[in-house]
Amino acid sequence: METHLGLTPEEMISIFNRMYLDVWEKTRDRINWKETDIPKLLLEVLEVVITAARDGAILTIYENNEKLYYALKQAGVKFPESESVSS
């Protein structure tokens, strides 16, 4: 039997993709798609893509840490009150 803590790679990819698409949906309107200056258009697109990737990665890390915390707590690991995750 294999012991597993935290999110599986599939869960991490799913969370990342969900958050990435959510941020892309909310921020893609900032891009002026009629821009004729290609470097400016690329910069606008990259800003949105980087923001979406950053937010997707941060959410994935947060959710993985939360899952680890509760798995360890359920296994009997005691955490100081100041470092506990709020429910």
Side-chain angles (χ1 to χ4, degrees), residues 15-85:
I15 292 167
F16 177 88
N17 287 343
R18 180 174 34 94
M19 185 63 184
Y20 180 93
L21 292 173
D22 183 52
V23 173
W24 173 257
E25 188 69 33
K26 291 177 182 175
T27 58
R28 70 179 177 185
D29 293 335
R30 294 185 205 166
I31 299 171
N32 177 7
W33 293 104
K34 296 178 183 178
E35 179 64 63
T36 57
D37 181 4
I38 298 301
K40 186 174 181 181
L41 176 61
L42 286 174
L43 181 61
E44 290 176 2
V45 171
L46 283 174
E47 286 176 352
V48 171
V49 168
I50 288 169
T51 298
R54 178 203 62 207
D55 292 356
I58 295 301
L59 179 67
T60 302
I61 291 167
Y62 174 80
E63 289 195 15
N64 189 54
N65 286 347
E66 187 174 48
K67 188 169 182 178
L68 285 169
Y69 170 81
Y70 287 113
L72 291 170
K73 191 172 180 181
Q74 185 177 13
V77 175
K78 302 282 186 213
F79 294 94
E81 286 298 317
S82 62
E83 295 179 20
S84 66
V85 175

